[in-house]
Amino acid sequence: MTDTIKRLRIYTDEAAYFGDQKVFEVVALRARAAHVAGTTVFRALFGFGHTAHEHRRHVLDDDQSIVVEILDEESKLRAFVDSLSDLEHLGPVMLEAIEVLHWPSSDRGRG
Amino acid sequence: MTDTIKRLRIYTDEAAYFGDQKVFEVVALRARAAHVAGTTVFRALFGFGHTAHEHRRHVLDDDQSIVVEILDEESKLRAFVDSLSDLEHLGPVMLEAIEVLHWPSSDRGRG
Amino acid sequence: MTDTIKRLRIYTDEAAYFGDQKVFEVVALRARAAHVAGTTVFRALFGFGHTAHEHRRHVLDDDQSIVVEILDEESKLRAFVDSLSDLEHLGPVMLEAIEVLHWPSSDRGRG
């Protein structure tokens, strides 16, 4: 394994749908199907400005932002992002450098 | 646009006020007024140590930490931080490098 | 102080115990005892894949992921991670580069 572990962050909001599924659930299900090393989904208190999808109802209550964090090797993360190209209503997607100090041992493998 | 997109993170806590407004709401309202590209506000389960404002009531329940994340070009983020210099009770403020893989199209513009 | 401020991130889940204490509480208590500059604990909406500890009950509801963020000088953060070596059920632990733009003044000192 010469690949570097990075963190992928995908912003969306809870009210964004792809067909009849929430976008963040589609992303998480695909991440699971792709056997990425780890996925964590955060719900923000609020957010605005990220997606064309947003509704401007209130000054500070526009949408329920969701951030999906995925940890894996960089090449796998880039391939995963490619697999999301059919999704609308995705907010910014970014890759972040990290230095891994500890990685849990697992008998599930990671490949 | 030669500027690099970065992420700004501003730590504060829910009990911190500026006049009669919560500090994190002031920050979010100013971010909106400054037309930053995207703002996301997270409420932590708990936190301690970041601000002189903290109360040490319980070992693990000192304050309700809030993190405001803002995405935009680095120069705009630095100017935004300058615009917060009148606020007390701000915790750490930091700039983080990211590699943007996807940015939502928008007819709202970003400049 | 020639050391660089970095951010440590420790992933675990709410159902992970060390003895009769939750792992994330043990981590937070040790962080406080070590007088780190600041600690923030986030509870995710859900997560999967990070720890051998996870239970696969539902497709998108496997565990209640927790992320502990700690800010301090790099050398102090590395020493803190060493102090967690007895903990099982820790997920990934990573160090992240940040550029500090503002640091709250404090009469508590920082170690």
Side-chain angles (χ1 to χ4, degrees):
Chain A
M1 180 167 57
T2 58
D3 221 342
T4 307
I5 300 281
K6 291 204 169 179
R7 181 170 58 217
L8 182 69
R9 272 187 135 214
I10 299 168
Y11 290 69
T12 180
D13 73 65
E14 194 154 7
Y17 278 81
F18 178 69
D20 58 356
Q21 271 192 298
K22 286 175 185 286
V23 167
F24 82 88
E25 291 177 338
V26 173
V27 171
L29 285 165
R30 289 187 187 178
R32 163 152 290 185
H35 298 294
V36 298
T39 300
T40 315
V41 179
F42 298 91
R43 176 187 277 141
L45 190 58
F46 64 88
F48 49 82
H50 286 309
T51 63
H53 176 265
E54 76 169 313
H55 308 292
R56 299 199 169 215
R57 286 185 295 266
H58 306 294
V59 173
L60 285 179
D61 190 32
D62 299 70
D63 61 49
Q64 190 79 57
S65 296
I66 296 276
V67 175
V68 182
E69 273 192 15
I70 303 177
L71 297 171
D72 211 318
E73 294 161 25
E74 178 169 356
S75 60
K76 193 156 182 178
L77 294 176
R78 289 183 182 275
F80 181 70
V81 171
D82 289 343
S83 80
L84 303 178
S85 59
D86 57 325
L87 296 181
E88 304 159 20
H89 305 317
L90 270 193
V93 177
M94 65 203 62
L95 210 52
E96 304 175 23
I98 54 176
E99 180 188 347
V100 175
L101 299 187
H102 169 77
W103 196 267
S105 56
S106 166
D107 46 1
R108 284 172 292 136
R110 294 192 32 249
Chain B
M1 179 169 56
T2 57
D3 220 342
T4 306
I5 300 281
K6 291 205 169 179
R7 182 170 57 218
L8 182 69
R9 271 187 135 215
I10 299 168
Y11 290 69
T12 179
D13 73 65
E14 195 155 6
Y17 278 82
F18 178 70
D20 57 357
Q21 272 194 298
K22 285 175 185 288
V23 166
F24 82 89
E25 291 177 337
V26 173
V27 171
L29 285 164
R30 290 187 186 179
R32 162 152 289 184
H35 299 292
V36 298
T39 301
T40 315
V41 179
F42 298 91
R43 176 187 277 140
L45 190 58
F46 65 88
F48 50 83
H50 286 309
T51 62
H53 176 266
E54 77 169 313
H55 309 291
R56 300 200 169 214
R57 286 183 297 266
H58 305 296
V59 174
L60 286 178
D61 189 34
D62 299 70
D63 62 49
Q64 190 79 57
S65 296
I66 295 277
V67 176
V68 182
E69 274 192 15
I70 303 178
L71 297 172
D72 211 317
E73 295 162 23
E74 179 170 354
S75 61
K76 192 156 182 178
L77 294 175
R78 288 183 183 274
F80 181 70
V81 171
D82 288 343
S83 80
L84 303 179
S85 60
D86 57 325
L87 297 181
E88 304 159 22
H89 304 316
L90 269 193
V93 176
M94 64 202 64
L95 210 51
E96 304 175 23
I98 55 175
E99 180 188 347
V100 176
L101 299 186
H102 169 76
W103 196 267
S105 57
S106 165
D107 46 2
R108 283 175 290 136
R110 296 190 34 249
Chain C
M1 180 168 56
T2 58
D3 221 342
T4 306
I5 299 281
K6 291 205 170 180
R7 181 170 58 218
L8 181 69
R9 271 187 136 216
I10 299 168
Y11 291 69
T12 180
D13 73 65
E14 194 155 7
Y17 278 81
F18 178 70
D20 58 356
Q21 272 194 297
K22 286 176 185 285
V23 167
F24 82 88
E25 291 177 338
V26 173
V27 171
L29 285 165
R30 290 187 186 179
R32 162 153 291 185
H35 299 294
V36 298
T39 301
T40 316
V41 178
F42 297 92
R43 175 187 278 140
L45 190 58
F46 64 87
F48 49 83
H50 286 309
T51 63
H53 176 264
E54 78 170 311
H55 309 291
R56 299 199 170 215
R57 288 182 295 263
H58 306 295
V59 174
L60 286 177
D61 189 34
D62 299 72
D63 62 50
Q64 191 79 57
S65 296
I66 295 276
V67 175
V68 182
E69 275 191 15
I70 303 177
L71 297 172
D72 212 317
E73 293 160 27
E74 178 169 356
S75 62
K76 192 156 182 180
L77 295 176
R78 288 183 183 275
F80 181 70
V81 172
D82 288 344
S83 79
L84 303 179
S85 60
D86 56 326
L87 297 182
E88 303 159 23
H89 305 316
L90 269 193
V93 176
M94 64 202 63
L95 210 50
E96 304 175 22
I98 55 175
E99 179 188 348
V100 175
L101 299 187
H102 170 76
W103 196 267
S105 57
S106 165
D107 46 2
R108 282 174 292 136
R110 295 193 31 252

